[in-house]
Structure formats: structure tokens, C-alpha cells
Amino acid sequence: MSKPRLKVGVLFGGRSGEHAVSLMSARFVLSVLSPEKYEVTQIGITQEGAWLVGEGVLDAFLEGDYGQLSPVTMLPDPTRPGLQRLRAVEGGELLETLAELDVLFPVLHGTFGEDGTLQGVFEMAGVAYVGAGVLGSALGMDKGVFAEVMRAHGIPTVDNIVLLRSEIEEDMDAALDRAEAVGGYPLFIKPANLGSSVGVSKVKNRSDLLEGLMDAAQYDRRVLVQKGLEVREIEVSVLGNDRPEASVCGEVLPGEEFYSYEAKYHDERSQTVIPADIPPEVSDHIRDLAVRAFKAVDLAGLARVDFFIEKNSGDVYLNELNTMPGFTQISMYPKLWEASGLPSNELVDKLIELALERKAERDASKREYRREE
């Protein structure tokens, strides 16, 4: 007899500036999930936060036409598992179980998807899910706090500070002074809690700095100001739970001055080199740092860890970590594992397996304390 198919819910879209990237990632993940192994439910989340299901959800989201889709929700109540359909009835709405799910695969990037908020819902609901938990997601998401944790673990990072949106709005001159104290130009300005290079700018003077701070502050109330270096950009994929492993290293060769959103997703001049042309000892050092960073913030499932190699000194710096990296055809996370001998269909199988393993570990913890007489 064949094994029953696992019921997998794939979530995509979301309330983030990376909504469009999530749709591209979802298309790739859905294409490699075996229909023989999985019964897949597509769950789209609009930019307003509505959860929708139905026929061809991803296509509907790509076209921006939600008219034939139905609203659902997930209760933070493990005694009422699965998706709950919201059905209009006379006098209000009726909640009814639509489908139970064995595991959720949140292909969501950025806020309200990768920052621990959605993971908290999954934890309350008692469901298995792919990726990091609440703590790891939150720490990995905030670039400023993450850098502080890395420094506490002896992992080198580039000098930076965090400015609040309120500081920028209330006293721009003081904010500019603080930013310039990080180091000489150029500087990089980034929303602290966003990815896919959304809102990131390289600034070369005070006027550019003002514009960069204003732009980044549109996307997050915390803005990272990072010292600019002449670097090579190296990326590593990590896979696992308590015993994670690192892929081969890859190098990003952006078509623009840096790996901006346009360079990452739309500029055909941008290239990746896998494996990266770096000495074996440097590759081993970077892969070791990637695993150390993964463990330091208690991650699970997957992460892509981005590094800089300073061109003049050869020094290695950990730049940032992404707990739900892009899963598009051109994304480094699956490409690095492909080069390491793990094709994408086996990669998603492993991520689902790790999600179920992590849930079993959580369920092994006692939920109540009783004194022994």
C-alpha cells in the first residue's frame, strides 16, 4: 500500500513590501512539490491581510483578481486544527472547518511572514511549519539586533547603527550626523526588517543620505545605517535543525553597484558564480560561520547567510541572514543546494521532514508542572 499523502498548506503573498517576490517563490515551490507525496492547499494572503483559498489561488494573485476566492482563517486553538472557512449566512458569518493540514510551508518574505508574527500563530495553533520559530525568525529579521547577537558570539559584522523613524522625522540633521559617524561615504541604508533589497540604497553624500533615510523609513520604523566597504558578496545556504549543514559557497556579481531589488530580480547583467572562486580555507571558514550563526539564533529548517569579503584586506564579515530566502528560479538558496548535490524536489521534501521533526520536539516538552508529593 502506498503511504497517504501529507496535507501541505503553502502560504504566499502577505502584508509586506516583498509580496511580489513571495508570489515568484511560491510558483517555484509549488512546481517541485510532488503530487504523489503531497495534497497541496494554496493559501494566498493579500496585502491587506486576508487569507484566501479556491481554485488557482496563485494565478488569481498574479492577476490581482480575487473574485472567485473564499476567505479562510486559522484559529490559535489546537483543539480546532486546520483552515476554517468563513461562510456568509443571514445575520453574519459561519465558521466551518475546511481542511486539516499536516504541515504549513510559509513562502512569505518580510514583515508579517518572516518576522515571527505568523510563526506565533502557528505555535498557538499547534501545527508543524517549515522554517524558524518565533525567536529565530524575529532575530534573523531585524538586521540591527541580529548584528549585535553576532558580535556577542564573536562573529564579525560590518559597523552599523540603527535609527528610528521618529528620530529621522523629528530631527533630520541630528539623524544625518549620527549616520555619518558610522564611517566615511559610501554608506548603505536599509530598512532593518525587510529583505529582497527593498528600500536599500547606497549613498555617497549627505544629500543622498537624507533621501536614503526617508526612503527606508517608508518600509520600517527602524533603519539600519551600515559602513560601505569594497567587497565581494558571498552567500551560503544552511539546512537542518539541531545539526545544520552548509552548502557550497556562491558569489553574487551584481549588474549594478550593489545587489539592489532591480539587480536581483530584473537586471539580466547580474550573475552568480557557484561555487565561488575563493580558496578552500576561506570557503570552509565562511561555511563554519554560517552554521555558527544559524545555531546562535536557534534557527530551524533553512536560512541563507550572506557574507562580505573585503577586497583589500581579505577580511570576512557576516552581512545578514535570511530565514525564508527567495525560492525563485534564480534564487541562490535552491541553486546552492543543487550545486551541493541536493535537487530542489528533494530539498522541499527535506524541509517538510524537518518541520515535522521540529514539531515532534516541541510536543515532547511538558506543558504543565505538577509537584511530586
Side-chain angles (χ1 to χ4, degrees), residues 192-335:
N193 289 278
L194 208 57
S196 295
S197 301
V198 173
V200 176
S201 55
K202 180 179 182 179
V203 301
K204 301 178 180 179
N205 53 56
R206 193 173 176 95
S207 176
D208 289 348
L209 175 59
L210 187 153
E211 291 183 13
L213 292 176
M214 295 292 286
D215 182 45
Q218 295 181 92
Y219 298 100
D220 190 23
R221 57 176 291 273
R222 288 166 54 81
V223 175
L224 185 85
V225 180
Q226 185 182 62
K227 183 178 180 180
L229 300 173
E230 287 294 320
V231 298
R232 297 172 66 183
E233 299 186 41
I234 307 296
E235 298 186 353
V236 181
S237 295
V238 181
L239 178 69
N241 286 339
D242 292 346
R243 291 172 291 279
E245 297 180 0
S247 71
V248 299
C249 295
E251 181 170 8
V252 174
L253 302 175
E256 300 180 5
E257 274 195 284
F258 67 99
Y259 210 28
S260 66
Y261 184 94
E262 289 300 319
K264 188 173 291 187
Y265 296 107
H266 300 293
D267 191 337
E268 295 182 356
R269 296 173 299 165
S270 296
Q271 301 176 33
T272 55
V273 178
I274 303 173
D277 184 15
I278 54 179
E281 62 273 17
V282 177
S283 175
D284 290 345
H285 176 54
I286 288 174
R287 293 171 70 243
D288 176 66
L289 288 177
V291 170
R292 285 175 56 192
F294 190 96
K295 291 181 175 180
V297 291
D298 192 32
L299 297 189
L302 72 164
R304 192 196 69 239
V305 193
D306 302 345
F307 292 87
F308 291 149
I309 300 177
E310 190 172 16
K311 290 182 178 179
N312 292 330
S313 66
D315 292 339
V316 172
Y317 298 94
L318 195 157
N319 180 34
E320 58 187 64
L321 179 150
N322 195 311
T323 59
M324 185 52 70
F327 257 96
T328 70
Q329 292 282 2
I330 62 171
S331 294
M332 284 288 269
Y333 187 82
K335 288 175 68 174

Side-chain angles (χ1 to χ4, degrees), residues 3-9 37-38 101-106 126-132 240-241 300-301 348-364:
K3 291 175 62 177
R5 293 186 301 168
L6 280 174
K7 297 177 181 178
V8 178
K37 296 179 181 179
Y38 308 113
L101 299 170
D102 297 310
V103 61
L104 288 167
F105 200 136
V127 65
Y129 59 94
V130 170
N241 286 339
V348 296
D349 288 348
K350 182 64 175 177
L351 289 170
I352 289 171
E353 177 186 319
L354 289 167
L356 294 169
E357 176 186 283
R358 179 51 62 97
K359 182 180 187 302
E361 290 181 350
R362 291 198 304 269
D363 290 346

Side-chain angles (χ1 to χ4, degrees), residues 125-198:
V127 65
Y129 59 94
V130 170
V134 175
L135 175 65
S137 297
L139 287 175
M141 189 70 193
D142 190 294
K143 297 177 181 66
V145 176
F146 176 74
E148 292 180 11
V149 175
M150 291 301 98
R151 287 192 285 267
H153 282 262
I155 297 175
T157 64
V158 179
D159 291 344
N160 64 73
I161 63 163
V162 171
L163 294 171
L164 301 180
R165 180 192 290 152
S166 58
E167 294 180 86
I168 296 168
E169 292 175 344
E170 291 168 9
D171 193 340
M172 176 59 80
D173 286 336
L176 292 170
D177 290 342
R178 283 195 61 203
E180 288 179 327
V182 173
Y185 290 104
L187 296 169
F188 281 92
I189 314 301
K190 309 176 181 181
N193 289 278
L194 208 57
S196 295
S197 301
V198 173

